[in-house]
Amino acid sequence: MKDVWTEPEINPMDKKINKKKIIIITLTIVVIVLAIVLIGVYKTNKQTREWIDKNIFRKEVVQDKVATIDLKENENVNIYAFNRYIGILNKTKFSIYGNNGNKEKELEVQISNPIFSSANRFLAIAENKGQKVYLISDKDIIWENSVEGNIAQVNVNKNGYVAVVITGTIHKTAIKMYNPDGKEMFNTYLANARAVDVSISNDNKHLAIAEVDTSGTIIQSSVRVISIDKAETDATNSIENTYTSEAGKLITNIKYQDKNKLVCMYTDALTEIENEKEVTLVDNKDKKVIFQSINLNNYACSIEEKSSGLFTADSVVNIINADNKEVKQYVVDSVTKEIYTYGDIIALNLGTEVEFVNTNGWLVKRYIANQEITNIVVSDNIAGIIYKDKIEIINL
């Protein structure tokens, strides 16, 4: 009689397959654990992070080891970074260079003293205290127009809508609005105040105007929000709201973020207007704030100088999320000379070094020079370190 309790025979191939699975699973777990440990060390240990950034991620670049654009010394040129390009305006020629330093296009613009504004693939160029304004998309001129009066400012949003601030007319200030095809949409006027900044919302529905009234004994700042749809049919009755600050506070810049959040920069604070309320993001009272900026995508930043020794100081970069108000910090062990911001990039000029930091608080690139750095241009994708005879290109 056959023994029904006999153990079934195990195929040797099954043993090999099981061993292989165990080895793969074990190796996978080890790799995951190592990755978690490395990420933790990278985040918490500054020396390790700097070593990894330099030797593994290759985030450090040095002068004379990058692509360059040659300049003629003592030539009066205006340089601007936008989209993936660096533009150089020399007399009436606007030359556009790629990240390899090669000229890709040359445009004719009747501007000698430019004001620039860029967003997404669009670049607006206007003549400071002049009449001409151009809109460029990527590397082509989309339209050009002339205004009556003197242009003081220009602003373009990511969809190509343009606002031009004009002085020298019968009104204190006039603002002219254009659609992406260059068609004039409306004019609005300020009788007593002057516009220090304007911003167009990302959904093309609102125009915000930062105003300063100096006619009284105390400075009065306010922000006027206009409905673009209403202004096209009745500009005089298009005001949706006006936010008046405390007397004596000086507003300097405004910028629309996503979800119609409007960030405002004062000399002593950063605020945000949302759901018809203005709330404080950063209060500079009792702080040694040396720089601040709102020219970022959905973020604002302020740089505070803090003593780190008897004769030394650190720069603490506070990066504020305009959506959830979360603050991230990036600390540099030296005093920042100047900052340049655009999109998701914060460039810190430290004298002979530049650190490019993103809005998540991580180093993107570090540039080391053998001389003092005096001027930088930056966009989301490219930066230029400007010297007398050349521009060194940094790919971000």
Side-chain angles (χ1 to χ4, degrees), residues 277-300:
K277 292 181 180 179
E278 186 171 11
V279 297
T280 300
L281 295 176
V282 176
D283 188 346
N284 296 340
K285 187 178 179 181
D286 301 324
K287 298 176 183 177
K288 192 175 181 181
V289 174
I290 52 177
F291 297 107
Q292 55 183 6
S293 175
I294 59 174
N295 188 34
L296 294 162
N297 291 336
N298 298 316
Y299 286 85

Side-chain angles (χ1 to χ4, degrees), residues 196-323:
V196 296
D197 201 11
V198 292
S199 184
I200 306 164
S201 64
N202 291 331
D203 62 5
N204 318 317
K205 292 183 177 180
H206 298 93
L207 171 67
I209 306 168
E211 307 174 21
V212 174
D213 187 349
T214 57
S215 59
T217 56
I218 300 176
I219 290 173
Q220 184 63 66
S221 299
S222 60
V223 177
R224 183 187 305 192
V225 177
I226 290 174
S227 166
I228 291 175
D229 288 339
K230 292 178 181 177
E232 286 192 87
T233 55
D234 185 4
T236 56
N237 294 305
S238 61
I239 299 173
E240 290 200 338
N241 219 323
T242 300
Y243 304 89
T244 303
S245 66
E246 296 176 26
K249 286 179 70 70
L250 179 61
I251 193 167
T252 58
N253 296 97
I254 56 174
K255 181 174 172 59
Y256 265 112
Q257 311 284 9
D258 288 340
K259 301 178 183 177
N260 279 336
K261 293 180 174 68
L262 183 64
V263 179
C264 308
M265 188 166 83
Y266 295 84
T267 53
D268 61 352
L270 298 176
T271 69
E272 181 183 79
I273 297 173
E274 182 184 10
N275 298 325
E276 299 186 355
K277 292 181 180 179
E278 186 171 11
V279 297
T280 300
L281 295 176
V282 176
D283 188 346
N284 296 340
K285 187 178 179 181
D286 301 324
K287 298 176 183 177
K288 192 175 181 181
V289 174
I290 52 177
F291 297 107
Q292 55 183 6
S293 175
I294 59 174
N295 188 34
L296 294 162
N297 291 336
N298 298 316
Y299 286 85
C301 74
S302 67
I303 301 182
E304 187 179 354
E305 184 181 317
K306 287 190 175 181
S307 175
S308 58
L310 188 60
F311 301 108
T312 59
D314 292 341
S315 295
V316 180
V317 185
N318 295 296
I319 306 167
I320 308 100
N321 187 315
D323 192 23

Side-chain angles (χ1 to χ4, degrees), residues 329-388:
Q329 285 191 339
Y330 183 89
V331 181
V332 183
D333 56 2
S334 60
V335 177
T336 301
K337 309 292 184 184
E338 188 62 78
I339 67 165
Y340 307 82
T341 58
Y342 185 88
D344 294 317
I345 297 295
I346 303 165
L348 310 172
N349 184 352
L350 307 176
T352 57
E353 291 185 15
V354 181
E355 295 200 0
F356 297 93
V357 182
N358 63 23
T359 49
N360 288 320
W362 296 108
L363 179 71
V364 177
K365 281 285 174 66
R366 178 183 289 115
Y367 172 86
I368 300 175
N370 52 31
Q371 63 191 96
E372 195 77 11
I373 299 165
T374 59
N375 199 7
I376 302 167
V377 290
V378 64
S379 75
D380 264 334
N381 305 292
I382 195 170
I385 312 298
I386 303 171
Y387 298 103
K388 288 182 179 179

Side-chain angles (χ1 to χ4, degrees), residues 33-302:
V33 171
L34 283 174
I36 292 170
V37 171
L38 284 173
I39 291 170
V41 173
Y42 182 82
K43 286 183 176 181
T44 57
N45 189 297
K46 185 178 179 181
Q47 289 182 330
T48 301
R49 183 167 62 249
E50 288 186 352
W51 187 91
I52 292 172
D53 283 342
K54 180 180 178 179
N55 297 288
I56 297 178
F57 294 151
R58 304 294 181 185
K59 291 184 178 181
E60 189 172 290
V61 294
V62 297
Q63 186 176 349
D64 299 326
K65 300 295 182 182
V66 294
T68 62
I69 302 169
D70 292 330
L71 299 174
K72 293 181 180 178
E73 287 196 54
N74 302 319
E75 194 166 42
N76 185 23
V77 297
N78 293 275
I79 302 162
Y80 190 79
F82 67 103
N83 200 5
R84 305 183 303 275
Y85 311 109
I86 289 178
I88 301 176
L89 180 62
N90 185 5
K91 297 179 181 177
T92 61
K93 304 293 184 183
F94 186 65
S95 301
I96 299 172
Y97 293 82
N99 60 7
N100 57 4
N102 294 330
K103 185 190 291 188
E104 297 191 6
K105 198 153 190 181
E106 187 172 271
L107 304 175
E108 181 75 24
V109 294
Q110 297 302 314
I111 289 176
S112 58
N113 185 20
I115 306 170
F116 295 104
S117 175
S118 64
N120 197 4
R121 69 180 189 276
F122 296 102
L123 171 65
I125 309 177
E127 180 74 44
N128 187 23
K129 299 180 181 178
Q131 289 74 46
K132 296 289 290 186
V133 58
Y134 294 80
L135 181 66
I136 294 170
S137 176
D138 197 40
K139 295 180 287 185
D140 297 305
I141 295 173
I142 301 301
W143 56 260
E144 62 177 277
N145 273 307
S146 297
V147 304
E148 292 184 5
N150 302 313
I151 297 173
Q153 290 184 50
V154 64
N155 177 260
V156 63
N157 79 347
K158 67 178 185 179
N159 302 311
Y161 286 78
V162 176
V164 182
V165 179
I166 305 165
T167 59
T169 65
I170 59 173
H171 302 278
K172 184 90 173 181
T173 305
I175 296 102
K176 193 180 289 286
M177 185 90 178
Y178 295 96
N179 72 10
D181 297 320
K183 180 183 177 183
E184 184 178 317
M185 300 174 70
F186 64 87
N187 292 292
T188 189
Y189 305 97
L190 309 182
N192 300 314
R194 64 183 180 89
V196 296
D197 201 11
V198 292
S199 184
I200 306 164
S201 64
N202 291 331
D203 62 5
N204 318 317
K205 292 183 177 180
H206 298 93
L207 171 67
I209 306 168
E211 307 174 21
V212 174
D213 187 349
T214 57
S215 59
T217 56
I218 300 176
I219 290 173
Q220 184 63 66
S221 299
S222 60
V223 177
R224 183 187 305 192
V225 177
I226 290 174
S227 166
I228 291 175
D229 288 339
K230 292 178 181 177
E232 286 192 87
T233 55
D234 185 4
T236 56
N237 294 305
S238 61
I239 299 173
E240 290 200 338
N241 219 323
T242 300
Y243 304 89
T244 303
S245 66
E246 296 176 26
K249 286 179 70 70
L250 179 61
I251 193 167
T252 58
N253 296 97
I254 56 174
K255 181 174 172 59
Y256 265 112
Q257 311 284 9
D258 288 340
K259 301 178 183 177
N260 279 336
K261 293 180 174 68
L262 183 64
V263 179
C264 308
M265 188 166 83
Y266 295 84
T267 53
D268 61 352
L270 298 176
T271 69
E272 181 183 79
I273 297 173
E274 182 184 10
N275 298 325
E276 299 186 355
K277 292 181 180 179
E278 186 171 11
V279 297
T280 300
L281 295 176
V282 176
D283 188 346
N284 296 340
K285 187 178 179 181
D286 301 324
K287 298 176 183 177
K288 192 175 181 181
V289 174
I290 52 177
F291 297 107
Q292 55 183 6
S293 175
I294 59 174
N295 188 34
L296 294 162
N297 291 336
N298 298 316
Y299 286 85
C301 74
S302 67

